[in-house]
Amino acid sequence: ESEVKNMAHCIYHFGSQTLGFSVAAHILFPEPHIVAPKQAEEGLAVLYLLHGLHGSCADWHAMTSVERYLYESEKPLCIVIPEVSNNFYTDQYLGWNYLTYIGEELPKVVSRFVRVSPSREKTFVAGLSMGGYGALKLALTYPEKYSYAASFSGALDIVDLTRANASLLGDAAEYIFGPESQREGGRDDLFALLGQSAESGAPRCDFYVSCGTADDLLSHSQRF
């Protein structure tokens, strides 16, 4: 007799110690994996799935078939979709530490009640547009945490993005990334981070980068 496959979809609100205010995340996973014993070493593979600019943590569930793909998959997986508003998944020049929140605090919060694996080989990150930038920045910043990172139509070149589309973020660009003169080669420049990673001998993370040929951000993916 085949096991009935039930999926859980939680919308979790909690107070972030890193950010200093309440945040939300959508968490999708097979129901039997809820509430793990602390001693469990093995657990679900986990995918951190990041939304785009002007989006929210509800977008992937509301506008794609991600829940159906998860249901149909033969390999159990936990998907965590955090909310960051328009804050680019980075520790901001003047603002909040969203990179630290996603990379360090959120995994600890999720593991309190879902049995997710702490293994690098079973931890992945992916995102759309702004989320594509966030996914690759997380993987390059924490190479010991992620074995696979994917960008879909990613806003991967923040130097070009903030220079060519000054109205996109307006004054917020300086609060998030700092003065324009410091962005190229700085801590938020993915191309600089990629070069540093190659030279450091950090653990290899496999990248998947895709973009539509009619997308305004195509050049970012091609260059990366």
Side-chain angles (χ1 to χ4, degrees), residues 42-217:
E42 290 299 321
L44 288 172
V46 57
L47 167 64
Y48 293 90
L49 191 55
L50 312 181
H51 68 77
L53 190 69
H54 306 306
S56 77
C57 59
D59 287 356
W60 282 104
H61 176 261
M63 301 182 195
T64 77
S65 297
V66 64
E67 188 167 1
R68 176 170 61 84
Y69 296 149
L70 181 59
Y71 183 85
E72 293 174 351
S73 173
E74 295 181 0
K75 296 181 179 180
L77 176 72
C78 175
I79 298 179
V80 180
I81 311 173
E83 172 71 73
V84 305
S85 189
N86 296 330
N87 290 296
F88 269 85
Y89 302 94
T90 193
D91 287 350
Q92 299 175 345
Y93 182 75
L94 293 173
W96 300 283
N97 293 330
Y98 275 96
L99 185 75
T100 301
Y101 161 62
I102 302 291
E104 300 181 23
E105 182 181 13
L106 185 60
K108 294 177 182 177
V109 171
V110 172
S111 66
R112 289 174 191 161
F113 68 100
V114 182
R115 190 168 69 228
V116 294
S117 173
S119 166
R120 176 182 183 272
E121 287 69 30
K122 297 176 73 174
T123 305
F124 322 115
V125 61
L128 166 72
S129 191
M130 177 185 76
Y133 169 84
L136 298 190
K137 178 157 192 196
L138 281 157
L140 290 168
T141 305
Y142 299 102
E144 74 284 1
K145 291 181 181 289
Y146 306 98
S147 61
Y148 200 100
S151 165
F152 311 114
S153 300
L156 306 184
D157 188 342
I158 59 98
V159 177
D160 175 74
L161 184 74
T162 56
R163 182 183 296 147
N165 300 280
S167 62
L168 184 66
L169 292 173
D171 293 339
E174 187 156 340
Y175 289 101
I176 296 172
F177 301 117
E180 183 177 344
S181 61
Q182 298 179 20
R183 293 172 200 167
E184 186 169 0
R187 62 177 187 168
D188 295 314
D189 183 348
L190 290 187
F191 300 93
L193 292 177
L194 186 62
Q196 293 164 14
S197 176
E199 295 171 359
S200 70
R204 173 177 171 171
C205 178
D206 289 326
F207 292 143
Y208 174 87
V209 177
S210 70
C211 190
T213 56
D215 196 301
D216 292 339
L217 295 173

